[in-house]
Amino acid sequence: MSDLLKLEKIHWKHYFAGFGFITIILQLITGLYLMFFFDPTLEGAYKSIQYISNQLFMGSLSRNLHRWIPALLFVAVFVHTVRCFLRWDFENRNKRVLWLTGVLLLLPIFLFIVTGLIVPWEWKGYFFMEMIPNYFEPIPYIGQALKDFFLVSFTIPRYYVFHVVLLPLISIVLIDYHILAKLRKRGIFRYLLKHSIISLPFIILLFVLAWKIIIPSNDPVDVPMPLEGEWVPAPEWYFLTVLLPYMYIRSGIWIPVLSFFLPLALFFGVAFMPYYLRNITIAEEDDDAPTPQANVKRTASKKIINGIIVTIITFVFIGLITWGNYNSPTLGCNSCHHLANGARMGVPPPSFRDKTSLPHLSENDWMMKHWYYPTQVW
């Protein structure tokens, strides 16, 4: 046990990568438990969510853990990515595949969040489902075709299969290339035990959040306030951030640029950096290298500077997301949208694919303002 606690064996430079890996395992465990009790149908999805949240043993804790884990996972992956940037990992030929698979993992993580928001099929999930086709509509030439495709192809079972089968398979392949291939040689369980020990503060934080800040799911018995959720961090913020241009920008061309083309270009540009940068090098031994004592001092200073830079970048990243979404009443939808207020208010309308009968659903500006300011825009 003493060997497991040796700090030099824990690989601190991969601390957040290890924590991210642990959160993925926790997400898998909670997801498997919830899967046995969730009914992926339009009629039964939210009813099964209410059963899980209010009657099932450990159901509420499992569901809220499953909701909070992605928030910390995304931050851990972001910090790990920034640190890899500062170490110039993309310049190492031996790390090309590690870099590519690591960046590509961000996409299924993001899609996990989006599909996980939709499949419960309460009004919050309904909102996100309606906004996905609207999100693609402003794209020149192909936007309308994409919107029609997402409207026609959507069903709860299909998105559920995407959430619990296709995305996990893609993630497993990427994770295997990114980390498991090496860990199988070094010892996966040894790695997990070490990182579980040093990740305990964050694991405890996850359980506290899941216990104290829960999703209201007991309506109409226990109804939240309309603006409940303001200033409460939530995984929904990640997706809401890319939707913000639809509410604040009036110029048609800038909406798809800021919400679609720019994020897509940055994503693939970063993912394939090791393959198109010319000065790819591998560190080699130098006979005139500094002494070990000088190396220790230089390494310590570099770690301190890198740590400060990573901290600043992370807080700026989190701050920008918070600034854009702090007033999002993420938990308050059920204050109005529950069965006690009538069938249409309590259950998403069956005509959700027919936006001609509900024209507001095609107005992105109205949809976003109704989400952020439900007591003013309705």
Side-chain angles (χ1 to χ4, degrees), residues 6 16 20 37 94-95 110-111 114 134-135 145 151 177 191 202-203 250 254 261 278 286-287 294-295 316 319 362 370:
K6 289 181 180 179
F16 284 96
F37 305 98
N94 294 334
K95 293 184 177 181
F110 183 74
L111 292 177
V114 175
N134 292 359
Y135 174 79
L151 281 174
Y177 276 100
Y191 177 90
F202 287 111
I203 295 174
R250 300 301 176 187
W254 283 107
F261 290 115
R278 295 179 179 179
D286 186 357
D287 294 335
N295 277 333
V316 169
S362 291
H370 178 65

Side-chain angles (χ1 to χ4, degrees), residues 187-206:
I188 294 178
F189 293 104
R190 185 183 182 86
Y191 177 90
L192 287 175
L193 181 56
K194 289 178 180 179
H195 282 273
S196 296
I197 293 172
I198 61 174
S199 297
L200 271 178
F202 287 111
I203 295 174
I204 293 172
L205 175 62
L206 276 174

Side-chain angles (χ1 to χ4, degrees), residues 215-337:
I215 311 173
S217 302
N218 198 26
D219 54 286
V221 177
D222 184 15
V223 179
M225 299 299 291
L227 299 181
E228 189 167 331
E230 290 184 319
W231 284 107
V232 178
E236 292 88 339
W237 285 11
Y238 299 125
F239 187 56
L240 286 169
T241 300
V242 300
L243 295 177
L244 287 175
Y246 290 90
M247 183 166 65
Y248 293 114
I249 297 177
R250 300 301 176 187
S251 175
I253 188 60
W254 283 107
I255 292 176
V257 167
L258 294 177
S259 283
F260 186 80
F261 290 115
L262 182 60
L264 202 65
L266 287 174
F267 176 75
F268 285 107
V270 171
F272 289 95
M273 280 177 64
Y275 294 88
Y276 63 77
L277 290 180
R278 295 179 179 179
N279 299 323
I280 305 295
T281 58
I282 302 178
E284 298 178 355
E285 292 185 2
D286 186 357
D287 294 335
D288 298 324
T291 62
Q293 293 82 0
N295 277 333
V296 169
K297 292 181 180 179
R298 187 175 64 183
T299 301
S301 301
K302 187 176 180 180
K303 286 183 176 180
I304 292 173
I305 294 172
N306 284 354
I308 294 173
I309 294 174
V310 172
T311 302
I312 293 173
I313 293 175
T314 303
F315 275 99
V316 169
F317 170 75
I318 296 174
L320 288 174
I321 292 178
T322 303
W323 178 59
N325 299 285
Y326 73 90
N327 59 337
S328 169
T330 309
L331 304 177
C333 294
N334 293 347
S335 60
C336 300
H337 296 290

